[in-house]
Amino acid sequence: MLRGVTSSALFDLGSSLPASYGSIPAPRAAAVDFSAVQDTKGSSKSFPKHETRHLSEHKNVARCARFSPDGRFVATGSADTSIKLFEVAKIKQMLLPDARDGHVRPVIRTFYDHIQPINDLDFHPQNTVLISGAKDHTIKFFDFSKMTAKRAFRVIQDTHNVRSVSFHPSGDFLLAGTDHSIPHLYDVNTFQCYLSANVPEIGANGAINQVRYSSTGGMYVTASKDGAVRLWDGVTANCVRSIVGAHGVAEATSANFTKDQRFVLSCGKDSTVKLWEVGTGRLVKQYLGATHTQLRCQAVFNDTEEFVLSIDEPSNEIVIWDALTAEKVARWPSNHIGAPRWVEHSPVEAAFVSSGTDRSIRFWKEIL
C-alpha cells in the first residue's frame, strides 16, 4: 500500500524557491526521554522570555496554523475560507527594532478556494505544496512556489467534513480525519481512498478532531470527539490501540507524537493535557492547570520537547509546562481579544504562533 510514484514527479515546481526547500536543519537538542526520569520535582527549567507581534488579520476567526517542516513558512486558515502563507524570515525582519511599520510584508501568498471554514493545514514534506481540509468536504492542494496562484491545483472530494489533515513523511500519502470515525487514507498520486479493514467498535460520536502521522510514518494517532485517543499502524492501517476515555467523556481535541514516536501528547475538553506511552497505552504524565472546555484547543511541544504549551480560555493565557516535571513554568497573556483558538510551535526554533477568535495571528519568538 505504501508504494507509488515519487511525489516529485507529480509537482513540477520550476525554480522559484531555493533548492534547499524541505531540507530540515539538525535538531537543537536530543529528544527528551520521558520514561527515564521519574521523580524530577524542583528541577523544572524556566521557559525563556518571548516577544510577540501581531502579524495579520483574517476577516473571520483564525481557526488553525501550521509550520512547514523546515520552519521557513507558516500558514493560517480561517472561517473566512481563506489561507494566508507567511515567510518566517520576513516576520523576523518585521520584529527588528529598526523595521519601519508596514515596510515588510510577511504574508507572501493568500489562497481562496474553499467555500466553507478551513479546519486544518499541512505542508508537503519535500515540495512547495500546502494542503487544507475544510467543512466543505474537500482537501485542496496549493502550490506556493507560484506567485500568482490563488486557487488549488488539485482537489480531493471527501464524503465528510474534513476536520484534520496530515501528510505521510514520504509525501505519497495523506490522512484525513473527518466526521467519520475512521481516518481516510489517500494515495496522493491516484486519489484512491483506503479505509482500515480492522476497526474497533466506535460509537456514533467518533468524529476525529485531529490526525497526525509519527515522524517516520510508521504510526498515526487520532483524537476523537468520543474522548478516545487511538493509535493506528501506518502500513496496515489497523487500529493497534484504543485509549478509550483518554479525556473522560469530554472530547479529545488534539494528539501528536514525540519525535522518537514513543509517546503521544493529547489535549481534551476536560481541561487536561496528557502524555501516553505508545507501547503500553500507559498514562505517563498529566499537565494540569489550564482550562479548555469550549474550543478545539491543542497542546504542543516546543521544538526541543522540553516544554508543553496550551491555552487557558477563561484567563486568555498561554500556559507552559516543563515537559519532564509537568510543573507549570509560565502563564502569559495571549494578547488576543478573547481566548486564542490555536497555538502551533515551530519545529526548528524557539518560536510559535497563536491565532484567535479575534481573527488575528500573533508570532512569538524567544528574546535572544
Side-chain angles (χ1 to χ4, degrees), residues 50-97:
H50 282 52
E51 55 187 315
T52 179
R53 179 74 182 262
H54 171 274
L55 282 192
S56 185
E57 203 118 320
H58 280 279
K59 294 183 178 66
N60 203 328
V61 176
R63 292 170 55 88
C64 55
R66 202 77 176 267
F67 279 86
S68 61
D70 62 2
R72 288 178 46 201
F73 300 95
V74 62
T76 59
S78 169
D80 69 9
T81 75
S82 77
I83 298 162
K84 290 184 188 234
L85 180 73
F86 301 82
E87 192 171 342
V88 172
K90 289 192 169 158
I91 297 172
K92 289 178 181 166
Q93 228 175 311
M94 237 176 103
L95 290 171
L96 292 172

Side-chain angles (χ1 to χ4, degrees), residues 212-264:
R212 293 290 182 258
Y213 266 112
S214 66
S215 56
T216 63
M219 299 189 83
Y220 48 100
V221 61
T222 54
S224 299
K225 279 200 159 188
D226 60 10
V229 169
R230 294 184 176 91
L231 294 159
W232 307 74
D233 184 294
V235 178
T236 64
N238 289 339
C239 182
V240 290
R241 186 178 302 284
S242 294
I243 305 170
V244 176
H247 291 277
V249 292
E251 291 184 34
T253 50
S254 81
N256 48 62
F257 286 91
T258 52
K259 289 174 190 164
D260 65 6
Q261 310 180 76
R262 291 174 54 197
F263 301 93
V264 159

Side-chain angles (χ1 to χ4, degrees), residues 226-336:
D226 60 10
V229 169
R230 294 184 176 91
L231 294 159
W232 307 74
D233 184 294
V235 178
T236 64
N238 289 339
C239 182
V240 290
R241 186 178 302 284
S242 294
I243 305 170
V244 176
H247 291 277
V249 292
E251 291 184 34
T253 50
S254 81
N256 48 62
F257 286 91
T258 52
K259 289 174 190 164
D260 65 6
Q261 310 180 76
R262 291 174 54 197
F263 301 93
V264 159
L265 184 72
S266 73
C267 177
K269 287 190 179 178
D270 60 349
S271 298
T272 67
V273 175
K274 297 180 176 181
L275 188 73
W276 307 90
E277 189 171 49
V278 168
T280 60
R282 184 173 66 92
L283 177 63
V284 185
K285 303 203 180 285
Q286 292 201 67
Y287 306 92
L288 304 173
T291 304
H292 32 85
T293 57
Q294 302 301 311
L295 301 172
R296 187 188 58 153
C297 149
Q298 74 167 358
V300 293
F301 284 105
N302 76 323
D303 59 309
T304 60
E305 298 187 338
E306 293 169 290
F307 298 99
V308 170
L309 291 76
S310 195
I311 290 161
D312 184 84
E313 291 167 354
S315 69
N316 187 7
E317 289 177 319
I318 291 168
V319 181
I320 296 123
W321 295 266
D322 179 295
L324 265 185
T325 64
E327 194 181 339
K328 214 168 2 173
V329 292
R331 295 183 73 109
W332 292 343
S334 77
N335 290 293
H336 287 276

Side-chain angles (χ1 to χ4, degrees), residues 39-286:
D39 186 36
T40 47
K41 288 270 176 292
S43 58
S44 296
K45 298 186 170 81
S46 61
F47 193 65
K49 287 236 181 317
H50 282 52
E51 55 187 315
T52 179
R53 179 74 182 262
H54 171 274
L55 282 192
S56 185
E57 203 118 320
H58 280 279
K59 294 183 178 66
N60 203 328
V61 176
R63 292 170 55 88
C64 55
R66 202 77 176 267
F67 279 86
S68 61
D70 62 2
R72 288 178 46 201
F73 300 95
V74 62
T76 59
S78 169
D80 69 9
T81 75
S82 77
I83 298 162
K84 290 184 188 234
L85 180 73
F86 301 82
E87 192 171 342
V88 172
K90 289 192 169 158
I91 297 172
K92 289 178 181 166
Q93 228 175 311
M94 237 176 103
L95 290 171
L96 292 172
D98 55 352
R100 294 208 304 281
D101 256 9
H103 195 59
V104 181
R105 302 189 74 90
V107 179
I108 59 163
R109 308 277 186 273
T110 308
F111 297 114
Y112 307 93
D113 208 11
H114 283 284
I115 52 173
Q116 294 269 322
I118 316 283
N119 290 320
D120 198 16
L121 301 158
D122 198 12
F123 284 84
H124 189 282
Q126 292 92 26
N127 297 323
T128 51
V129 170
L130 175 68
I131 55 169
S132 52
K135 284 190 175 176
D136 57 20
H137 298 196
T138 65
I139 301 161
K140 302 214 169 186
F141 291 64
F142 299 92
D143 173 0
F144 59 89
S145 69
K146 298 186 165 56
M147 294 285 298
T148 52
K150 293 269 187 279
R151 305 228 169 263
F153 70 93
R154 305 186 81 182
V155 180
I156 291 177
Q157 183 67 54
D158 200 274
T159 46
H160 294 69
N161 170 17
V162 182
R163 308 168 67 87
S164 186
V165 287
S166 181
F167 262 119
H168 185 275
S170 68
D172 289 333
F173 293 87
L174 71 86
L175 285 165
T178 71
D179 282 347
H180 186 202
S181 58
I182 306 168
H184 296 177
L185 174 64
Y186 286 96
D187 182 318
V188 168
N189 303 298
T190 63
F191 282 10
Q192 187 81 37
C193 181
Y194 300 92
L195 294 181
S196 172
N198 172 18
V199 178
E201 212 34 62
I202 302 174
N205 198 23
I208 294 169
N209 279 320
Q210 192 163 73
V211 60
R212 293 290 182 258
Y213 266 112
S214 66
S215 56
T216 63
M219 299 189 83
Y220 48 100
V221 61
T222 54
S224 299
K225 279 200 159 188
D226 60 10
V229 169
R230 294 184 176 91
L231 294 159
W232 307 74
D233 184 294
V235 178
T236 64
N238 289 339
C239 182
V240 290
R241 186 178 302 284
S242 294
I243 305 170
V244 176
H247 291 277
V249 292
E251 291 184 34
T253 50
S254 81
N256 48 62
F257 286 91
T258 52
K259 289 174 190 164
D260 65 6
Q261 310 180 76
R262 291 174 54 197
F263 301 93
V264 159
L265 184 72
S266 73
C267 177
K269 287 190 179 178
D270 60 349
S271 298
T272 67
V273 175
K274 297 180 176 181
L275 188 73
W276 307 90
E277 189 171 49
V278 168
T280 60
R282 184 173 66 92
L283 177 63
V284 185
K285 303 203 180 285
Q286 292 201 67

